[in-house]
Amino acid sequence: MAWTTEQRYKRYEQWTENEIQQIKNKIATSPWRATYHVEPDTGLLNDPNGFSYFDGKWIAFYQNFPFGATHGLKSWVQLESNDLVHFTETGVRVLPDTPLDSHGAYSGSAMQFDDKLFLFYTGNVRDENWVRHPYQIGALLDKDGHIQKLNKILIEQPQDTTDHFRDPQIFNYHGQFYAIVGGQNLDKKGYIKLYKAVDNDYTNWEEVGNLHFENDNTAYMMECPNLVFIDEKPVLLYCPQGLSKEIVPYDNIYPNMYKIGQSFDIKKATIIKPSPLQNLDYGFECYATQAFNAPDGRALAVSWLGLPDIAYPSDRFDHQGTFSLVKELTLKDGKLYQYPVPAITSLRTDNIQTFANQAQTKNCYELELEFTTDSQTEIVLFADQEHKGLRICFDIKNGQVTVDRSQAGEQYALEFGTVRSCTIENQATTATIFIDKSVFEIFINKGEKVFSGRVFPHENQNGIFISEGNPTGTYYELDYGREVN
């Protein structure tokens, strides 16, 4: 359907029970609902928010428009987990119901203070002329799930910034609390601002300055900035909308990128000796990645497998968007690695087989594959009887991995191409692949390179076919019900 502004910003209480039930009925008929990836109960899921550890549990929220697969009046829906693999939805926590977030609870972060979880987010407000006013605001979540919103603006829109100013991320650096916020300056260039909590009071923030990270100044907006520390090195993840492809080639409508610094001068708001800008994910869908340093020091990350301004085949069933698997971020030889947390193996059933051709699967499995130096291998996942599906070429001999979804299910976003690739070293290579109904995640060499994306297969596209080479490996059927505490 073509959504009007009035429909997208219709107040939650104005939707009737009958309308909501019709949405649920339509979703129930979708052939593409994921099994072990987080999806919205109804409507649209986009940015991960408030990824944190609180009251002995892992907490995350997803930004949600619950009434259809479109961007409208957003709220936050809470998820809880004991193992970062099995997530339970515990309810809508942040509603757009105050003058400071009347047109949407936009993205943000979270951190525990005493016995409450502080939620730091952007309140989206539109005036009578539909001019946007972004407010960086907060709320407190208690252990019983009750929300108390702070009735004040924590960070005002700076004078040198347009109305594109959002996505605060709070972090702890050597015992002092800071936050970064993405924005667009008056010259329509993207940048990131750094703030400090005065006396470590999360309700009182002062500007430190613009974050210096050798910004190339080609993007027009910096969305979803996150700063984590791995082995004391700062790693900045962000989504530079409009980034020049001369800086880093990419094919998606908007990229998700990162830089690794050698150290951090907090007083000068400077990442020292940042690496060149690098692509976080080489696939078709990875955006708005949220990362934080857990209490045990690990850097954990989760992404939205979806993109702004893109229509998806699942839209007609009134749902769109999933989360990626939760990944641990590590550094090795100056490279950022990202790999699912160890508990992902709890999904494996007793149906373990040597990797081979299969006419039928449940499209819910994991593959662990090995490729020898100078080998050339091509496999087709989501394969039909004509061997059409998601085609993956591991050309170790020439140092390249290519993923082609041009024959995999219903096509979409064709203006951004159907093929993605990355370079690899000519050496023995591994690939760990997760398939989940309409989701794929491919981890090369335990996370040195990653491809994530969506595929919306036809009914008969549920096989595996080896079209070239002799790869070795293991097939694991997965079951989300296998939780190991």
Side-chain angles (χ1 to χ4, degrees):
M1 64 176 289
W3 288 80
T4 65
T5 299
E6 182 180 12
Q7 289 171 322
R8 290 189 293 114
Y9 287 90
K10 179 177 170 180
R11 307 307 304 179
Y12 281 36
E13 63 272 13
Q14 294 174 345
W15 290 85
T16 67
E17 290 186 7
N18 182 56
E19 286 175 317
I20 294 171
Q21 189 59 51
Q22 287 180 358
I23 294 168
K24 291 181 177 180
N25 292 343
K26 188 179 292 187
I27 289 174
T29 66
S30 172
W32 298 311
R33 295 287 277 174
T35 301
Y36 56 91
H37 284 78
V38 170
E39 282 192 303
D41 183 37
T42 62
L44 175 119
L45 169 154
N46 60 311
D47 298 8
N49 294 153
F51 192 21
S52 54
Y53 189 77
F54 173 59
D55 191 27
K57 301 183 185 70
W58 302 104
I59 303 294
F61 302 80
Y62 65 82
Q63 201 176 67
N64 181 222
F65 176 70
F67 307 110
T70 190
H71 292 267
L73 191 59
K74 301 288 182 65
S75 57
W76 281 24
V77 177
Q78 185 182 356
L79 305 163
E80 293 183 353
S81 177
N82 292 320
D83 63 359
L84 293 167
V85 173
H86 296 83
F87 283 89
T88 300
E89 189 170 302
T90 58
V92 181
R93 294 294 182 235
V94 185
L95 283 163
D97 58 2
T98 74
L100 296 180
D101 57 12
S102 59
H103 289 71
Y106 278 21
S107 291
S109 54
M111 181 173 288
Q112 181 170 347
F113 286 88
D114 298 323
D115 61 348
K116 302 285 180 65
L117 186 66
F118 170 59
L119 310 181
F120 199 5
Y121 68 102
T122 300
N124 183 42
V125 176
R126 298 275 188 168
D127 63 22
E128 63 275 8
N129 298 314
W130 207 246
V131 175
R132 180 191 290 112
H133 299 277
Y135 300 128
Q136 312 314 310
I137 55 179
L140 295 173
L141 176 73
D142 69 20
K143 295 178 180 180
D144 296 320
H146 299 130
I147 281 281
Q148 175 190 355
K149 293 189 177 180
L150 305 178
N151 189 29
K152 63 180 290 190
I153 299 171
L154 303 182
I155 297 177
E156 297 272 4
Q157 179 182 335
Q159 293 184 349
D160 61 352
T161 303
T162 72
D163 60 358
H164 291 286
F165 184 66
R166 53 184 176 267
D167 311 337
Q169 186 228 356
I170 185 172
F171 63 95
N172 182 334
Y173 186 69
H174 294 173
Q176 171 66 51
F177 297 108
Y178 295 89
I180 52 175
V181 186
Q184 179 189 72
N185 66 25
L186 298 181
D187 293 326
K188 303 296 178 68
K189 300 295 184 182
Y191 77 115
I192 298 169
K193 277 195 181 292
L194 175 67
Y195 293 85
K196 177 182 178 180
V198 178
D199 297 324
N200 270 344
D201 177 2
Y202 56 79
T203 69
N204 187 7
W205 296 87
E206 64 180 14
E207 181 179 331
V208 178
N210 291 350
L211 184 65
H212 302 291
F213 54 97
E214 296 184 5
N215 184 0
D216 55 78
N217 290 315
T218 65
Y220 59 76
M221 174 61 192
M222 301 302 194
E223 286 202 314
C224 304
N226 280 246
L227 186 60
V228 293
F229 297 87
I230 306 173
D231 303 330
E232 294 297 319
K233 290 182 168 57
V235 179
L236 179 67
L237 301 90
Y238 60 104
C239 299
Q241 292 186 323
L243 175 75
S244 169
K245 295 183 180 181
E246 294 182 358
I247 302 297
V248 181
Y250 64 95
D251 294 309
N252 296 341
I253 182 172
Y254 304 122
N256 206 158
M257 299 282 178
Y258 72 92
K259 286 189 173 188
I260 303 169
Q262 293 304 304
S263 59
F264 190 37
D265 187 334
I266 194 72
K267 293 182 179 180
K268 295 182 179 179
T270 299
I271 294 176
I272 306 298
K273 295 182 179 178
S275 69
L277 189 60
Q278 300 178 66
N279 207 335
L280 184 68
D281 191 295
Y282 290 87
F284 299 89
E285 273 93 12
C286 176
Y287 198 73
T289 298
Q290 182 155 102
F292 82 108
N293 283 109
D296 60 10
R298 286 182 298 165
L300 301 171
V302 64
S303 305
W304 170 31
L305 297 188
L307 286 166
D309 306 324
I310 297 292
Y312 287 83
S314 61
D315 290 1
R316 68 177 183 271
F317 294 101
D318 282 343
H319 70 95
Q320 184 190 121
T322 75
F323 277 3
S324 72
L325 299 175
V326 175
K327 297 157 284 192
E328 182 177 353
L329 306 181
T330 57
L331 294 177
K332 181 180 178 182
D333 299 327
K335 299 177 182 178
L336 180 67
Y337 281 67
Q338 31 184 339
Y339 198 71
V341 294
I344 193 67
T345 59
S346 69
L347 301 182
R348 295 174 179 174
T349 72
D350 294 332
N351 185 7
I352 302 171
Q353 306 172 33
T354 299
F355 178 64
N357 291 336
Q358 292 195 47
Q360 286 189 332
T361 72
K362 295 180 180 179
N363 279 344
C364 184
Y365 57 84
E366 174 192 352
L367 300 176
E368 284 195 334
L369 306 179
E370 296 180 356
F371 309 96
T372 59
T373 301
D374 292 336
S375 64
Q376 292 178 305
T377 302
E378 187 175 80
I379 64 174
V380 183
L381 310 181
F382 300 100
D384 60 20
Q385 292 182 347
E386 297 178 348
H387 306 150
K388 294 180 179 179
L390 182 69
R391 193 169 297 273
I392 310 172
C393 179
F394 299 93
D395 187 352
I396 313 305
K397 182 177 181 179
N398 294 301
Q400 188 163 1
V401 176
T402 302
V403 180
D404 181 348
R405 69 177 182 187
S406 62
Q407 296 183 321
E410 294 196 16
Q411 298 295 292
Y412 65 99
L414 293 177
E415 62 270 36
F416 301 104
T418 59
V419 178
R420 299 289 187 269
S421 63
C422 76
T423 58
I424 57 173
E425 297 294 327
N426 179 5
Q427 61 186 19
T429 299
T430 67
T432 307
I433 303 174
F434 294 90
I435 300 296
D436 187 6
K437 303 297 186 182
S438 59
V439 182
F440 68 87
E441 296 188 64
I442 304 169
F443 299 89
I444 309 297
N445 291 332
K446 301 296 184 181
E448 179 183 357
K449 299 286 180 71
V450 181
F451 291 83
S452 303
R454 303 299 303 274
V455 165
F456 298 89
H458 300 304
E459 184 177 2
N460 63 341
Q461 291 192 306
N462 57 0
I464 296 173
F465 179 68
I466 303 170
S467 55
E468 181 183 359
N470 296 290
T472 59
T474 307
Y475 167 96
Y476 302 91
E477 192 171 287
L478 303 183
D479 181 357
Y480 188 65
R482 292 173 60 87
E483 182 169 6
V484 178
N485 292 320

